[in-house]
Amino acid sequence: MSALRESLGFLTSRLRQVGIFVALILIVLLFQVLTGGILLEPQNVTNLVVQNSYILILAIGMVMVIIAGHIDLSVGSVAGFIGAVAGVMIVHWGWPWWAAIPACLLVGALVGAWQGYWIAYVGIPAFIVTLAGMLIFRGLTLITLKNQQITPFPAELRALGGGFLPDITGGTSVLEWLTVILGVGATVALLVQAVKERRLRQKFDLENEPMAWFATKTTFIALLMLIVTFLLASYRGTPIVLIVLAVLVIVYTALMNNSVFGRHTYAIGGNLHAAELSGIKTKAVTFRLFVNMGVLAALAGLVFTARLNSAQPAGGTGFELDSIAAAFIGGAAVQGGIGTVAGAMIGGLIMGVLNNGMSILGLGTDYQQLIKGLVLLLAVAFDIFNKNRSGRGGESIMGKWFKLKTAPPAEAENTTPPASQPASDGAGARQPVAAKHL
């Protein structure tokens, strides 16, 4: 019973991180019931991954920008512009697809460098620079395409947006076994990594999750991964874009958690002036963040264009709103300094499930926009509520109850005043205590 209370108390203190995951599960279950089981059919799960892949790619870069205390309103226009550039290169100029892809990523990096220069070194707020970029690159998209779509693209490029890994059984098996092998391997790797990290934290006597919660969470995530593996293997296997997305998540999670660049990004968002005083090259970090955002926007544009097999004048419209919403719903703080790549992925999946589920139910665009706007507002309000509560030193009633129930018995009262309190002199006056410097 004490282990259960300890776990529940831990969850109460981690509402920001746990809440979004629980919200995703509840939304999936809700639409599974409302759609009569259509939501989790193998074909629809595959469509859900493919249709939201470019938003998830953008969300990775967007959450990094938001963590640093900035915003990027131009990513949708940049994605559309890169799609137009790819169309001109491949269809009009006859470039091979394998040369056009790195060239488009390079163009995206140049776009990010252009915007990053104005933000980092000139000092113009990111909101203004990227708002201007949204208009500039939307205009360049129309100029590049001459207000007409470009199609078709080669099959190799189309595979990036809608292709699948080859079926090693030749289509003779009920399940696609390459997907099964990859899914089981990923699940085992996740379990090994989770246990390894827990033991490492124990070794260095760092704060750790209660064992009951760790076992429950890890088992649940493993089962969820196996279920998704089975659903994908029951249809056509693993989408190629899912492999791309998985590699990006692994690389950027490691970058943000284990690299100097990631630590500097969090430091800049937490307190810019303190980061500058500590010697962090804040301008260089900001510049690199926007170069990275440009590259990811270019990749998202390529995936979107490949999926549609067409470079369109309206390509990328609204992508910036969905990616920003994914980052904030996934737990990124409005003020910066807080957020994770995994959280942004969960936020993006919440947006994707909402879009997919409401489309299956036949809700119009008007109601879809209304519901998504309310979800975003509630997510940000929840974030601000948590920040204000922690700022006041507050704690929820449930959290206090669990802490009270799990606290060890009070020791005998010590007559010596705590070190954190000033001692009294003979007249009852407080003596000053020297400040401690961290």
Side-chain angles (χ1 to χ4, degrees), residues 80-89 92-93 136-150 311 313:
F81 173 63
I82 296 300
V85 171
V88 171
M89 286 181 175
H92 288 178
W93 296 352
I136 291 170
F137 296 108
R138 179 59 57 192
L140 287 175
T141 301
L142 298 175
I143 293 171
T144 304
L145 294 176
K146 298 179 181 178
N147 211 22
Q148 296 179 346
Q149 66 176 358
I150 297 178

Side-chain angles (χ1 to χ4, degrees), residues 9 19 39 52 68 84 92 96 120 154 156 160 174-175 192 206 217 234 251 256 270 277 279 331 361 376 400:
L39 182 72
N52 294 279
H92 288 178
E156 293 85 356
L160 177 63
V174 177
L175 296 178
V192 171
L206 300 175
K217 180 193 73 172
S234 300
V251 170
M256 294 301 290
L277 292 173
L361 293 175
L376 174 60
K400 291 179 179 178

Side-chain angles (χ1 to χ4, degrees), residues 60-147:
I60 294 174
M62 187 63 70
V63 74
M64 296 170 65
V65 169
I66 290 175
I67 288 172
H70 300 290
I71 198 76
D72 193 338
L73 302 177
S74 68
V75 292
S77 297
V78 173
F81 173 63
I82 296 300
V85 171
V88 171
M89 286 181 175
I90 296 174
V91 179
H92 288 178
W93 296 352
W95 284 33
W97 65 271
W98 50 264
I101 289 178
C104 288
L105 296 179
L106 177 60
V107 173
L110 294 175
V111 169
W114 160 263
Q115 298 193 120
Y117 170 78
W118 291 103
I119 296 167
Y121 296 106
V122 178
I124 302 176
F127 180 89
I128 301 299
V129 172
T130 57
L131 178 61
M134 180 173 66
L135 301 174
I136 291 170
F137 296 108
R138 179 59 57 192
L140 287 175
T141 301
L142 298 175
I143 293 171
T144 304
L145 294 176
K146 298 179 181 178
N147 211 22

Side-chain angles (χ1 to χ4, degrees), residues 160-417:
L160 177 63
F164 295 83
L165 294 180
D167 188 347
I168 60 177
T169 63
T172 60
S173 175
V174 177
L175 296 178
E176 200 285 295
W177 283 100
L178 180 58
T179 298
V180 174
I181 294 171
L182 291 175
V184 172
T187 303
V188 172
L190 174 71
L191 294 175
V192 171
Q193 182 64 23
V195 173
K196 181 179 178 181
E197 288 183 358
R198 180 174 178 83
R199 289 179 176 175
L200 190 64
R201 297 185 70 86
Q202 289 176 338
K203 177 180 178 181
F204 292 100
D205 198 23
L206 300 175
E207 181 186 11
N208 223 334
E209 300 171 330
M211 186 59 194
W213 164 244
F214 171 78
T216 302
K217 180 193 73 172
T218 307
T219 302
F220 182 82
I221 293 176
L223 289 175
L224 185 62
M225 291 181 64
L226 293 175
I227 291 172
V228 173
T229 298
F230 171 79
L231 292 174
L232 292 176
S234 300
Y235 180 52
R236 293 182 59 185
T238 304
I240 292 175
V241 72
L242 180 60
I243 301 298
V244 175
L245 191 59
V247 171
L248 290 176
V249 170
I250 293 172
V251 170
Y252 279 97
T253 298
L255 178 69
M256 294 301 290
N257 292 342
N258 304 322
S259 72
V260 174
F261 177 78
R263 295 295 94 194
H264 286 178
T265 301
Y266 279 104
I268 291 172
N271 191 320
L272 176 61
H273 297 298
E276 291 174 341
L277 292 173
S278 65
I280 296 175
K281 298 178 180 179
T282 57
K283 293 181 179 179
V285 173
T286 300
F287 179 79
R288 292 169 189 164
L289 280 171
F290 280 92
V291 171
N292 175 73
M293 186 74 256
V295 173
L296 290 177
L299 179 58
L302 288 171
V303 170
F304 177 73
T305 303
R307 176 175 170 267
L308 293 185
N309 190 26
S310 173
Q312 301 182 352
T317 302
F319 286 8
E320 63 280 346
L321 301 180
D322 285 339
S323 59
I324 292 171
F328 282 131
I329 292 173
V334 179
Q335 298 86 355
I338 296 175
T340 62
V341 172
M345 293 299 96
I346 295 177
L349 289 175
I350 289 175
M351 295 293 293
V353 171
L354 286 174
N355 288 331
N356 186 267
M358 290 187 292
S359 296
I360 295 174
L361 293 175
L363 292 180
T365 306
D366 46 0
Y367 284 101
Q368 292 188 30
Q369 298 293 338
L370 171 65
I371 292 173
K372 289 193 293 183
L374 289 174
V375 170
L376 174 60
L377 181 63
L378 290 175
V380 176
F382 182 71
D383 171 69
I384 293 176
F385 167 77
N386 274 331
K387 180 173 285 290
N388 291 340
R389 182 170 63 98
S390 62
R392 295 192 303 265
E395 188 173 16
S396 64
I397 295 175
M398 186 179 293
K400 291 179 179 178
W401 187 83
F402 284 119
K403 183 176 289 187
L404 181 64
K405 290 292 184 179
T406 57
E411 300 292 337
E413 192 171 309
N414 194 343
T415 56
T416 305

